[in-house]
Amino acid sequence: MTVRLGLSLPQMRQYSLGTDVPDVARAAEQVGYESLWVFERALFPEPATQGLYGMEGVPWPDNYRGVADPLVTLTLAAAATERARLGSSVLVAPLHNPFQLAKSLASLDAASGGRVVAGLGTGWSLDEYAAAGVRPFEDRGKVLDEVIDVCRAVWGPDPVRYDGRITKIASAVVGPKPARPIPIMLGAHGRKALRRLVDHADGWLPVGMGVEQLAAQWQELQDLAAERGRKERIQTVVRVNAVYTPKAYDGSDRSPFQGSADQIVEDLVAHAAVGLEEILIDLQSTPRDARELKDVATEVYEKARAAGV
């Protein structure tokens, strides 16, 4: 079965937020991409007090300087498109006030005609948690739980009531409501996070780091869902962070999704065989501007479809 293909919107500092986001969003929808995605990087610590993904000694990539706000980016894309779904992979939920995040997502869904996909995660940056000041890093799992619960309450019928650690809603009318139930998807790995997903979320947002690893994680999640008696299907969107080069990468140790458009598509074919529903392709890191990003995104899309992805 052909998988759906999504494209990550241009948020990095080589792009112009106000003009390039609508331009790329429109072009991607016209080419055939079925969804448009953002990620969240709130700041760039300098000097870095913590390595990338919390790994000691691993530097942050320079293109993480000046990443545009994800909800502003999605709003620009929503105004420029008609059909493409609008997702986050991921919003670092504990950096946000739960009530305000729920209301913003509901407003965006109402404005876009029911196209929002709320992809949430806990993040890893101590500096971002310190700057946001919502709760300490150690409370990230509990805050994510509350965000999910508050979203369900705020998006549901009025009067809204909720009594949590951060959010207190005695009884209130909260609008606008989403145009339809917004799916909540989680970027989860590890047993505890996967249990949260199975019990409380609609879908899974893994990162494609290799076919065998992805297939094993997917099987683990399906086994856990069966173990816990889940009946609803788990929606799936796998993120692939592609490093595009005009010429083919000729190294024998090529990482997945690194190289020419043909090599990226070769990896897409392999990952599609795992059986997930959708692949989100992030191509924005290496193009110099929006025109180049559109050209690369078009080439990858057309070659992927020709290859049966």
Side-chain angles (χ1 to χ4, degrees):
M1 182 180 68
T2 301
V3 301
R4 296 194 300 262
L5 293 179
L7 182 71
S8 194
L9 291 164
Q11 294 175 262
M12 295 177 178
R13 64 176 183 164
Q14 71 265 43
Y15 303 106
S16 173
L17 179 64
T19 57
D20 290 348
V21 170
D23 184 28
V24 171
R26 278 191 296 267
E29 186 176 70
Q30 290 168 2
V31 166
Y33 284 100
E34 297 179 62
S35 55
L36 302 166
W37 297 81
V38 293
F39 75 106
E40 183 157 34
R41 199 73 290 126
L43 49 72
F44 187 99
E46 197 170 44
T49 56
Q50 180 188 29
L52 184 69
Y53 307 128
M55 297 185 294
E56 186 176 355
V58 180
W60 290 45
D62 195 60
N63 52 28
Y64 277 4
R65 297 174 183 269
V67 175
D69 179 86
L71 293 179
V72 171
T73 303
L74 282 183
T75 301
L76 290 167
T81 57
E82 297 178 355
R83 302 177 305 278
R85 288 159 36 253
L86 306 163
S88 54
S89 180
V90 295
L91 290 175
V92 184
L95 302 183
H96 299 265
N97 174 279
F99 174 78
Q100 193 58 55
L101 180 59
K103 186 170 173 65
S104 295
L105 289 169
S107 298
L108 181 57
D109 193 73
S112 65
R115 293 190 280 148
V116 171
V117 178
L120 309 177
T122 55
W124 48 268
S125 170
L126 299 175
D127 294 279
E128 290 181 340
Y129 271 79
V134 176
R135 294 293 294 177
F137 182 77
E138 293 75 18
D139 290 349
R140 61 195 182 279
K142 294 177 181 178
V143 177
L144 176 56
D145 289 336
E146 182 159 328
V147 168
I148 294 172
D149 289 344
V150 171
C151 283
R152 302 289 194 206
V154 167
W155 301 342
D158 293 320
V160 175
R161 298 182 179 88
Y162 187 82
D163 185 14
R165 300 178 69 195
I166 303 169
T167 309
K168 308 286 184 182
I169 308 171
S171 181
V173 174
V174 184
K177 299 297 184 183
R180 92 302 188 215
I182 299 174
I184 294 177
M185 305 184 72
L186 300 182
H189 61 274
R191 193 75 174 177
K192 186 174 182 179
L194 292 177
R195 282 200 304 271
R196 175 185 291 116
L197 190 160
V198 167
D199 293 345
H200 302 295
D202 299 294
W204 182 44
L205 295 167
V207 177
M209 299 296 290
V211 174
E212 292 183 4
Q213 181 182 0
L214 180 63
Q217 289 179 333
W218 177 224
Q219 188 59 59
E220 180 184 1
L221 181 56
Q222 292 178 91
D223 291 344
L224 181 61
E227 175 187 316
R228 297 182 73 80
R230 179 178 174 126
K231 303 301 182 185
E232 303 85 358
R233 72 177 180 90
I234 297 174
Q235 301 173 38
T236 53
V237 181
V238 57
R239 161 182 276 276
V240 298
N241 299 313
V243 178
Y244 169 80
T245 57
K247 295 183 179 180
Y249 181 80
D250 58 6
S252 60
D253 58 346
R254 181 178 70 90
S255 299
F257 306 106
Q258 178 183 38
S260 66
D262 287 327
Q263 289 176 320
I264 291 171
V265 169
E266 178 183 330
D267 294 329
L268 289 174
V269 170
H271 281 69
V274 174
L276 304 188
E277 297 171 316
E278 185 165 358
I279 299 176
L280 150 63
I281 310 169
D282 191 334
L283 292 160
Q284 67 177 303
S285 63
T286 47
R288 293 165 294 182
D289 54 32
R291 176 178 294 182
E292 189 171 317
L293 174 58
K294 289 188 295 181
D295 289 345
V296 173
T298 299
E299 182 181 9
V300 169
Y301 182 89
E302 292 177 347
K303 289 186 173 182
R305 289 311 190 205
V309 175

